[in-house]
Amino acid sequence: MECRVKTLDSILEKMKRKNLELRIDNVYKLQDIAGIRVICNYVDDIYYLRKLLISSNGFALIRESDYIKHPKPNGYRSLHLIVSVPFVISEGRMELPVEIQLRTIAMDMWASLEHELRYKSGRVFSEAEAAELLQCSVDLAAVDQKMQALFQGIHQESERTST
């Protein structure tokens, strides 16, 4: 599990990009000031964890983006939840949006390497390179499915033998 809070510079840059006036009350319109990324072993774990989070009294779902069922055009896969989280401050209690990203190990590997290759390098990718990255995402999604099937098969077999 990883977490981060956006830096002030990053908040200001995003507010400018979204054409928000630079006022403190507009900061709350950004829904990813704080974020948590949870890396799961299997795709089913992601949806199980989603179910637990959504049914919790502590969080209220604001928005959900399922990039597993509907990957981004570049191949990015993850489940993003924007939830309202209560915080206690000196003035009382307030709700802030927090982004929760749920990924498998394979999805996280692809996203990390793609980010490094595409954005950290600062170069523009050719169509062939972009297609290669997309194919890597497709291949890793197939590995995720195979690993899930293996896990389910082993789990079902152990249940049969234990009864």
Side-chain angles (χ1 to χ4, degrees), residues 7 22 40 60-61 70 80 84 105 133 140 145 147:
T7 64
L22 298 178
C40 301
L61 181 64
H70 309 284
H80 290 206
S84 180
I105 296 164
L133 277 173
L140 286 168
Q145 290 174 350
M147 296 302 284

Side-chain angles (χ1 to χ4, degrees), residues 136-155:
C136 288
S137 172
V138 170
D139 293 345
L140 286 168
V143 170
D144 264 341
Q145 290 174 350
K146 289 178 184 179
M147 296 302 284
Q148 183 72 56
L150 279 169
F151 174 77
Q152 287 172 335
I154 291 169
H155 186 70

Side-chain angles (χ1 to χ4, degrees), residues 36-37 39 65-81 99-103 106-112 114-115 118-119 130 133-138 141:
I36 299 169
R37 180 176 301 135
I39 312 302
S65 299
D66 191 337
Y67 300 117
I68 299 169
K69 292 180 181 166
H70 309 284
K72 288 188 174 185
N74 69 345
Y76 177 81
R77 297 168 195 268
S78 181
L79 179 66
H80 290 206
L81 306 173
E99 181 181 47
I100 301 173
Q101 296 178 357
L102 303 167
R103 301 177 180 169
M107 290 172 199
D108 189 59
M109 180 192 76
W110 184 91
S112 297
E114 189 268 353
H115 184 75
R118 189 183 300 259
Y119 299 105
L133 277 173
L134 178 58
Q135 187 58 52
C136 288
S137 172
V138 170

Side-chain angles (χ1 to χ4, degrees), residues 53-67:
L53 287 168
I54 300 308
S55 64
S56 166
N57 290 334
F59 303 114
L61 181 64
I62 297 172
R63 191 177 81 237
E64 179 173 354
S65 299
D66 191 337
Y67 300 117

